[in-house]
Amino acid sequence: MKLLLTEDSQRLRTTLKHGLQGAGFTVDAAADGMEARGLLQAYDYDLVVLDLMLPRLDGIGVLRGLPPRGRRPRVLVLSARDQVGDRIEALNAGADDYLIKPFSFDELLARLHALARRPQEAQPDVLELGALRLDPRARQASVGGTPLPLTPREFALLALLLRHRGRAFSRAGILERLAGSDADVSDRSVEVLVHGLRRKLDAAGLPGLVETRRGAGYLIP
């Protein structure tokens, strides 16, 4: 699950980024509204955690710049502004939820997971293809009931390809979705990742599940 964290406090931004990554999110972080807008234009995100009082462009401006439909992330506003009017303004501008500072990190996670269960298009909680079964919430994979041991990135890649069957993802696209825009990783790491996933799928009796389309990338047809 790819998330954009926008918070101008460096200390809180660093703490939240570390905690969210530990909870399994792929996190990009922005320190102001203009940086957030640039990242939202360049990359696809599933979730956004957004402060309202931001330099250069405030959170309401970021919300109003999001597309009204289509591939639009769910937005949780995280703000010290606690008046009813502030919440109404943010929700009317396109926020999906509103959490007031100070807050419990566990509550933040619970709200993000709740938002993640409301995708833009109805999708099953469990991904299945033949004998293959993936439960993204429990982070469990199995083939014919037998556990399939995957690393976190192998699991994330397989879930990505299953959710978007028939769509080819380039190496750059996979890096952006799984590693984050600021990660220090290379195209070679994607090759190693795909090779490792294919090896485990082959051993589980699912050879050839992940295909390579020349000039397009990797996909599950």
Side-chain angles (χ1 to χ4, degrees):
M1 190 70 65
K2 190 168 175 63
L3 180 149
L4 174 62
L5 168 65
T6 306
E7 167 61 53
D8 65 332
S9 166
Q10 181 177 355
R11 182 176 179 180
L12 181 56
R13 187 170 64 250
T14 300
T15 300
L16 285 178
K17 182 175 182 180
H18 178 76
L20 291 167
Q21 287 174 330
F25 292 97
T26 299
V27 183
D28 286 343
D32 61 63
M34 292 298 292
E35 184 181 4
R37 187 167 69 176
L39 287 168
L40 287 164
Q41 291 172 347
Y43 303 106
D44 286 338
Y45 292 96
D46 302 294
L47 296 166
V48 176
V49 176
L50 179 68
D51 191 9
L52 291 183
M53 295 182 288
L54 295 169
R56 298 207 292 167
L57 179 68
D58 67 12
I60 297 298
V62 174
L63 282 168
R64 289 174 175 161
L66 292 172
R69 60 183 66 85
R71 182 58 183 167
R72 188 182 193 280
R74 300 291 187 184
V75 181
L76 185 151
V77 167
L78 189 62
S79 178
R81 292 165 55 178
D82 60 357
Q83 299 301 306
V84 173
D86 296 322
R87 297 196 293 271
I88 291 173
E89 182 182 21
L91 293 170
N92 284 341
D96 297 282
D97 199 358
Y98 196 109
L99 183 60
I100 297 170
K101 299 176 182 177
F103 60 94
S104 158
F105 183 72
D106 288 340
E107 182 180 2
L108 173 64
L109 282 182
R111 289 181 182 235
L112 288 173
H113 288 145
L115 289 179
R117 291 194 295 270
R118 292 192 282 150
Q120 299 296 334
E121 297 178 0
Q123 294 182 346
D125 291 333
V126 177
L127 305 172
E128 294 181 288
L129 179 59
L132 176 63
R133 186 178 190 273
L134 257 71
D135 185 341
R137 292 186 62 195
R139 296 197 188 189
Q140 294 177 347
S142 62
V143 177
T146 301
L148 180 63
L150 300 175
T151 68
R153 282 193 176 175
E154 288 170 347
F155 188 97
L157 174 59
L158 185 55
L160 174 68
L161 297 179
L162 282 173
R163 284 195 185 278
H164 302 278
R165 285 187 60 192
R167 173 181 170 184
F169 285 86
S170 66
R171 294 174 187 172
I174 291 172
L175 284 173
E176 183 256 305
R177 291 302 296 267
L178 302 189
S181 63
D182 59 352
D184 184 18
V185 291
S186 65
D187 284 2
R188 175 61 181 163
S189 66
V190 176
E191 293 182 14
V192 173
L193 177 63
V194 172
H195 175 76
L197 176 59
R198 282 173 166 165
R199 179 172 52 80
K200 292 179 180 180
L201 291 171
D202 289 351
L206 297 173
L209 182 66
V210 178
E211 296 185 0
T212 302
R213 293 285 171 86
R214 186 177 297 275
Y218 303 102
L219 78 157
I220 293 177

